[in-house]
Each structure stands twice: as structure tokens, then as C-alpha cells.
Amino acid sequence: MKIHEYQARDLLASYGIPVPAGRMIEKIDDAHTVYKQVTQEAGLSLENGLAVVKAQVHAGGRGKAGFVKLVRSPQEAEDAARFMLSNKMVSVQTGPEGLEVKKLLIAAGVEIAHEYYLAITTDRETRRNTLIASAEGGVEIEKVAAEKPEAILKQPIHPLMGLQPHEARRIAFELGMKGKQVGQAVKIMLALARLFVDKDCSLAEINPLIVTPANESAPDGNVLAIDAKFNFDDNGLSRHKDIQALFDPAEENPQELKAHRFGLSYIKLDGNIGCLVNGAGLAMATMDTIKHHGGEPANFLDVGGSASEEAVTEAFSIILSDQNVNGVLVNIFGGIMDCEVIAKGVVNAARNYKNSDGSTGFKVPLVVRLEGNNSQKGRALLESASDNLPTLQAATDLNDGARKVVAAVG
Ligand code: GDP
Ligand code: MN
């Protein structure tokens, strides 16, 4: 599960990591008031203090897309808010169709002397959570990782001992931090490492972590987080009601949400062959076999080992609601799963499916492979429903099924 930046900032603050004052808004009209609130909290001018307006979406690359704007008056804050709430954001992470923006963060702006990158994630190779840091943080971090891997520092974290102060200090020095910056950065790294474990994160990222320019009260500047991103392990969420409460359904694919409610694992993909399969391993093998025969799967869909007739019906309606789907492969290896239940679900879905001309039944090519528990009854049921399944082709095995569906969609 992902959360928004404004939520991530609150989480950082609750672990003592300094972040500039900020508030989330959903209405253009609130931009004026909130600009004044955050500049006041930060001790800046309420008329021309620096603030930043930022789109709150679960995708990065906002800066380069024009959806992070520095503003210097209530009016500029309102103009930026109007732009972001009425235009779709297209960034390297959104795809060309872009994302609608429904929430904004207005935060007190800060002067930046230097931008760093700081993150923790699990390194599968060493099987350790690993602190990752770079002195070349900011909006170009992907480029740095690709072209200058030596500029990315790594510190594996001991699974029982956690991140040690001396390890964090070494990273701070290697980043080139000086004087009071070191102690501040160490505190932030240790807090982030604690947060990562406490909340079952799979990614905790601060980019950029910044140092502000030196001034009289802070001769080495101050170290602050001004953007953060978190991913949480879904399997750990039941332990964290506070994190669950941050879930924003508006940021999820509506079909994926619906599938989740019926206990189906569904992930939309870019191809045109819908797949309905029982078991995650079989689903992956099915996708591979479709690709092997030159086709492209439109989705990953695992109905699980004990799907109800209702869930199978729902699964079909989800697959067919995807405009890109022009063929479907059902691949069931019945163990606990009863093939007759699958067949009933397929027939129900076909009977309920309304085509644009008002007729019912499946118009797109449908290839079904049923094997195992009660497969004969299942096949017989499908054959008896040919009125609603005029395109049905039976397959003898997965390879045969994949070949037939690829040929049928052309
Ligand atoms: P992202 O592009 O989605 O990662 O959004 P960020 O929040 O990281 O902002 C992108 C860039 O905008 C940062 O790397 C900074 O250079 C700049 N930026 C963001 N907030 C501030 C701020 O308060 N002051 C200044 N001077 N620049 C900022
Ligand atoms: Mn960022």
C-alpha cells in the first residue's frame, strides 16, 4: 500500500524527523487561507513568504511535470492550485494518459543549499534492509543510479541490531556533511530505520533530504525532509490500523479494488487477452505461454483455490469491462477448486453480459481448458450453454489453449 506525501510527512514528523509545515487541500478556494497558515507557522511573511504547492498523487516525477510549484503570495498559491486541480498530470511514472489530481499539499517553502537522497528498502540479494544514500539527490536520482552507480552509497542494516549510530555517521561523512549537519542527519537516518521496521515498510524514501543555507542561528544550516514516499507490506497491514486508515481508494484502479472485495487477485496489464486462472503460479505460467505464442495478456487474474460461483461471475465482468480485451482464456486446474463451479460462473457471466446491441452472451473468442476435479461435468455444462457461449472453444491443455486464443484474437 502507498500513501500520499502529506501523510508521509506526518509520519516522518511523528518520528521526530523535521519537515516544513504543510496542509492538504481539496478545494481551490482553500489555497489562500492555507498559504497564510503555513507561512505563519514557519515564521515567514503572510504576504510574500516562500511556499510550495504540490500535487498529491501516488506517482513521482511531479517536479518535472510542473506539479510542484514554488509560490510567493496567496494569489500565486491559488493560481497553482487551480492549474493542478484542473489539469491531468503526465510524468514519467504515469503513462501518457496522465493522472487526475484531487488533493494538493501546500507547505512552507525552504531555501535549499544541497539536495540529498535517503531511503531504506530490502535488498533481496543480501537479504538485509539497506540504507541507500546519495549526495546527488533531487529529481535526477534515477539518472544518477543508471549512469553513476558509484554515487549511490549503501549500508546494510543488521536484522536484529538495527542501524547503528556509527554506520549512519559514516554515511553522513561520505555524503560530505559537515559540523552540525552530521548529527542531524544521523538522527534522521536512525529514526527512518526505526520507522521502517515498526510499520512494516517495503520502501521509505526521502528525496530530497536537504540542507538549508547557513545563517546566524544555524551556522551549518539545517537538515530537513521536503518530500517522502512510503510503500507498506500489505501482509503486515493488519497490524497497523493507523497506516490502514491512510488508504486512499481514489488512487487505486477501480477494477482492482472490486476484485479485491471478491477475494480475487487481479492486476490489469496492457495486452488484449484476458486470463482467468486458479492459482498464482498457474496464472504466471498461463501468461508466459500466451506470450510464447505471440500474444499479450490483458491481466493477471487468480481466482484462488476456492472461488465461489459469484466470484467467478464477477471475475468475468471485470475482465470484459476492459475495452482492450478481445479474447479470453480460462485455464483451470481443479484440485480443491471444483470445475463445475467455474463452469457455472462462466455461464452466469455470459447470460448476464450485455453487448452494445442489447444481446446477451460472449462475443469475444473464449477458449476454456478445464482439468481435474469434476472437469467432465464442467465441460458438459459449458457445452449445454452454447446459446450464450457461441464463441466457445475447448482446449486439451494449456499449450493448446494459448495457441487457440492467440489465433482467435489475430
Ligand atoms: P517530485 O518531483 O515528485 O519528487 O517532487 P519533490 O517534492 O521532490 O520536488 C521536486 C523538486 O522541487 C525538489 O527536488 C526541489 O528541487 C524542488 N522543491 C520542492 N520543494 C521545495 C522548496 O520548499 N523550496 C525549494 N527551493 N525547492 C523545492
Ligand atoms: Mn521527490
Side-chain angles (χ1 to χ4, degrees), residues 5 54 60-63 68 115 138-139 141 205-208 226-229:
E5 178 197 357
K54 311 174 81 173
R62 297 169 303 168
V68 171
E115 301 194 22
V139 296
I141 190 68
E205 180 186 82
I206 300 175
N207 186 32
I226 65 166
D227 183 23
K229 189 174 187 175

Side-chain angles (χ1 to χ4, degrees), residues 48-276:
N48 60 9
L50 183 66
V52 58
V53 181
K54 311 174 81 173
Q56 299 296 287
V57 286
H58 289 182
R62 297 169 303 168
K64 287 194 160 174
F67 281 70
V68 171
K69 282 220 171 99
L70 293 174
V71 296
R72 282 193 176 275
S73 71
Q75 188 56 48
E76 282 182 26
E78 187 180 312
D79 294 345
R82 179 170 295 108
F83 171 80
M84 290 182 201
L85 290 173
S86 26
N87 288 286
K88 283 194 169 178
M89 178 183 116
V90 180
S91 87
V92 282
Q93 294 188 12
T94 63
E97 67 283 2
L99 271 187
E100 204 178 313
V101 180
K102 302 191 187 81
K103 295 185 167 115
L104 304 176
L105 170 72
I106 301 189
V110 284
E111 301 294 330
I112 299 178
H114 196 95
E115 301 194 22
Y116 298 89
Y117 177 90
L118 184 67
I120 301 178
T121 189
T122 306
D123 179 354
R124 288 170 196 282
E125 225 165 280
T126 57
R127 292 180 287 173
R128 292 275 190 281
N129 294 334
T130 300
L131 182 81
I132 303 166
S134 177
E136 303 192 24
V139 296
E140 299 277 355
I141 190 68
E142 281 88 0
K143 212 169 139 200
V144 175
E147 293 171 10
K148 266 176 85 180
E150 70 281 2
I152 310 275
L153 311 174
K154 290 186 183 168
Q155 172 63 53
I157 301 174
H158 191 282
L160 297 178
M161 311 269 281
L163 183 66
Q164 296 296 299
H166 70 88
E167 295 168 335
R169 225 165 14 247
R170 178 184 68 84
I171 293 285
F173 282 121
E174 282 188 33
L175 288 174
M177 289 184 167
K178 295 195 178 61
K180 294 222 162 63
Q181 296 167 7
V182 176
Q184 292 180 34
V186 166
K187 231 182 107 203
I188 292 171
M189 288 183 231
L190 295 177
L192 194 67
R194 245 184 315 118
L195 196 173
F196 185 90
V197 173
D198 286 356
K199 303 294 183 190
D200 289 314
C201 298
S202 55
L203 173 72
E205 180 186 82
I206 300 175
N207 186 32
L209 177 78
I210 61 147
V211 173
T212 59
N215 62 35
E216 266 172 32
S217 64
D220 295 317
N222 281 314
V223 186
L224 302 173
I226 65 166
D227 183 23
K229 189 174 187 175
F230 284 93
N231 283 351
F232 300 93
D233 181 348
D234 290 346
N235 295 316
L237 277 178
S238 61
R239 311 203 289 185
H240 307 292
K241 298 280 178 273
D242 56 334
I243 303 297
Q244 273 182 44
L246 304 177
F247 181 68
D248 183 356
E251 292 289 314
E252 306 296 321
N253 176 311
Q255 301 299 357
E256 291 182 9
L257 272 183
K258 192 168 160 200
H260 191 74
R261 279 201 298 277
F262 282 88
L264 307 163
S265 310
Y266 169 85
I267 296 163
K268 184 177 155 35
L269 302 168
D270 296 332
N272 60 353
I273 299 175
C275 313
L276 187 147

Side-chain angles (χ1 to χ4, degrees), residues 285-297:
T286 304
M287 290 161 53
D288 283 349
T289 313
I290 288 173
K291 281 200 169 244
H292 175 72
H293 288 287
E296 286 294 333

Side-chain angles (χ1 to χ4, degrees), residues 328-398:
V328 178
L329 174 60
V330 174
N331 182 26
I332 302 296
F333 195 86
I336 299 169
M337 188 76 237
D338 179 345
C339 289
E340 203 181 359
V341 172
I342 295 281
K344 282 182 182 164
V346 174
V347 175
N348 279 343
R351 205 180 284 138
N352 296 337
Y353 191 74
K354 290 240 173 356
N355 293 286
S356 48
D357 61 2
S359 63
T360 58
F362 289 162
K363 293 274 159 71
V364 300
L366 172 68
V367 178
V368 178
R369 180 242 181 170
L370 287 181
E371 207 52 74
N373 182 8
N374 233 353
S375 59
Q376 300 218 328
K377 275 194 178 162
R379 284 192 211 120
L381 193 89
L382 290 176
E383 276 156 29
S384 70
S386 56
D387 281 357
N388 283 309
L389 297 170
T391 63
L392 178 74
Q393 296 182 64
T396 51
D397 58 29
L398 169 53

